[in-house]
Amino acid sequence: MLDFVDAVVDAALDDDQAAAEALPGMLQVYTCVVDDSPAVLTLFKESSFTTSMFDAMNGIFLRKRSKLSDAIWGMMEVVRASFLTNDCWRVSPASAGGVHKTTRLVMIYVMLLWRNEGALNLVLQDQQHRFRMFLSEHHDYCSSSVADLIKKMISSSEKQLEKASNFISDPGLRYIFLMNNFSFISEKFSSLLLPPFEGYKIERSRGSRERLHPMEDGVNQPDPSIRAEIETDSNLDGFIKIQSFMEAYLDASWEPVMSCLYHDIPRGFLKCGRALDRFILEFQRTCATQRMWKVPNPELRKRLRKAIIEKVISGYNQYLTQRLARGKSNRPAMSTPLELEELIEELFEG
């Protein structure tokens, strides 16, 4: 077995391109060495062999373990570095709607790390002097070094996603891209049952007149439909970001539609008779475009549609009410609120 260790390590170190594929096997070999060495050493200790023989055998096992540890850490560094290149996060028109391929690969890698937490904790102990750069400053949130490594990996990936999204020309699609990827990460992260990620703390000492930031208010007094998700999502920081992306998406995609009805809220709705026509045309154009956008997560898709309905349909109803009050209802509206809502329910199917 010990000769086999040398063979697999040499083979792994010869091919950086295969680091990701070879890493699971290397972790299995490392686990075997760690698990089997105590039993083998016990045989030497209980036999008539001299202490020097036992020490020599123990030294061999330690060197093989160290060699495997160095190889595994080197392979992990290769994989980590590959996820930091801009090329792998490049966004094509096809990947703008949906979950980016690299996001999926990162989470597959994260799940591999967590499944091998026991072995990796030993590897990280062997590599303490190299691992210090990855240790979180907030030790209260996580006592597991593997979990810290995972959280650093996810945080880095989220930054890469935000940077990559800047190359998407349509601002609405940019936020859809971010929501798709962040929700995928959050869902996978939560399934690992890790300790909370970047514990989100809200300042409680504000004055009574100071208004909460919308995102903070959403956590303190959440919509009942998402309360359970807030309470159970270990990646609360990711959830908060998704909510902020949703607000930005509504402003980018639907505020221009609503602006057909009004200049700004304090000045009230436009008196121009063509405002309604322009609103309907812009609404239909936006729906036609976004019907082709893909939101694979059904819960996120449902939340997005609900948010659009609350923003657009409520504003449309308000416009029709004021129009009626001003005696501008001499002709029926081109579309009823229910008809517009039905169009919204068709969005994001891809």
Side-chain angles (χ1 to χ4, degrees):
M1 182 180 74
L2 298 180
D3 289 338
F4 178 70
V5 169
D6 292 331
V8 295
V9 168
D10 292 341
L13 295 178
D14 283 343
D15 189 2
D16 283 352
Q17 299 297 321
E21 291 80 3
L23 185 56
M26 290 291 288
L27 286 167
Q28 290 292 327
V29 174
Y30 182 86
T31 300
C32 289
V33 171
V34 171
D35 290 347
D36 293 343
S37 58
V40 174
L41 290 172
T42 298
L43 295 176
F44 280 87
K45 194 170 186 179
E46 293 176 350
S47 68
S48 58
F49 290 107
T50 63
T51 301
S52 60
M53 180 70 75
F54 172 84
D55 291 341
M57 198 64 193
N58 185 46
I60 292 174
F61 271 111
L62 289 176
R63 286 193 295 275
K64 298 301 180 182
R65 170 176 162 172
S66 179
K67 187 172 185 177
L68 278 168
S69 176
D70 289 344
I72 289 170
W73 182 255
M75 295 164 75
M76 290 172 64
E77 284 287 273
V78 169
V79 174
R80 186 181 70 88
S82 71
F83 288 133
L84 295 178
T85 62
N86 291 330
D87 286 346
C88 74
W89 291 103
R90 190 169 295 164
V91 182
S92 65
S95 62
V99 179
H100 198 285
K101 179 179 70 174
T102 305
T103 302
R104 295 183 183 276
L105 291 175
V106 166
M107 296 314 295
I108 290 173
Y109 178 63
V110 161
M111 288 186 281
L112 168 68
L113 297 182
W114 192 240
R115 283 198 303 268
N116 292 275
E117 180 201 12
L120 281 173
N121 272 330
L122 294 175
V123 170
L124 296 174
Q125 288 174 18
D126 294 340
Q127 304 290 326
Q128 275 297 325
H129 63 288
R130 301 183 192 180
F131 185 57
R132 287 193 188 98
M133 69 183 74
F134 295 101
L135 286 175
S136 170
E137 296 177 0
H138 307 289
H139 297 290
D140 293 341
Y141 296 126
C142 186
S143 59
S144 170
S145 57
V146 175
D148 276 323
L149 191 64
I150 287 173
K151 291 174 182 181
K152 291 289 184 181
M153 173 70 70
I154 289 176
S155 178
S156 174
S157 298
E158 289 178 340
K159 290 176 183 177
Q160 291 284 354
L161 284 166
E162 292 192 67
K163 185 163 58 173
S165 73
N166 290 320
F167 293 94
I168 300 175
S169 58
D170 188 308
L173 183 57
R174 173 178 183 254
Y175 292 114
I176 291 292
F177 169 80
L178 289 170
M179 282 186 280
N180 279 336
N181 284 273
F182 275 63
S183 66
F184 180 82
I185 290 172
S186 184
E187 178 185 1
K188 296 299 182 183
F189 184 92
S190 298
S191 71
L192 299 178
L193 302 179
L194 271 73
F197 184 25
E198 296 294 325
Y200 186 77
K201 295 184 178 180
I202 298 171
E203 185 63 48
R204 304 290 184 181
S205 60
R206 289 184 172 87
S208 58
R209 294 184 179 181
E210 188 174 351
R211 188 174 183 273
L212 284 171
H213 186 279
M215 290 298 96
E216 298 179 0
D217 191 50
V219 174
N220 287 329
Q221 300 176 356
D223 186 302
S225 64
I226 60 174
R227 183 185 300 275
E229 185 169 353
I230 290 176
E231 291 174 349
T232 59
D233 194 343
S234 59
N235 186 10
L236 183 56
D237 184 62
F239 181 82
I240 298 297
K241 288 181 180 178
I242 293 168
Q243 287 291 99
S244 67
F245 293 148
M246 188 175 296
E247 287 195 354
Y249 157 78
L250 291 172
D251 287 342
S253 286
W254 294 100
E255 196 58 35
V257 177
M258 300 307 296
S259 69
C260 295
L261 297 178
Y262 57 86
H263 285 300
D264 52 55
I265 295 298
R267 293 175 59 186
F269 290 94
L270 290 172
K271 296 181 180 180
C272 176
R274 300 184 62 83
L276 183 59
D277 295 339
R278 290 190 291 110
F279 166 79
I280 295 298
L281 289 174
E282 188 66 18
F283 178 91
Q284 291 174 340
R285 184 194 67 79
T286 302
C287 283
T289 299
Q290 300 196 11
R291 189 180 294 115
M292 305 306 296
W293 293 358
K294 182 73 172 177
V295 177
N297 185 315
E299 283 301 316
L300 177 60
R301 190 164 62 240
K302 180 180 177 181
R303 283 168 52 198
L304 272 168
R305 289 169 176 170
K306 180 181 178 182
I308 296 169
I309 289 170
E310 289 177 351
K311 180 180 182 68
V312 177
I313 303 304
S314 62
Y316 185 51
N317 276 324
Q318 184 182 354
Y319 171 82
L320 294 178
T321 300
Q322 292 198 9
R323 184 168 174 263
L324 178 63
R326 293 173 180 173
K328 300 290 186 179
S329 58
N330 55 333
R331 68 183 178 92
M334 294 174 62
S335 300
T336 66
L338 181 59
E339 289 172 336
L340 298 187
E341 188 170 333
E342 289 173 351
L343 290 175
I344 292 172
E345 291 291 349
E346 297 175 358
L347 299 181
F348 312 124
E349 293 292 344

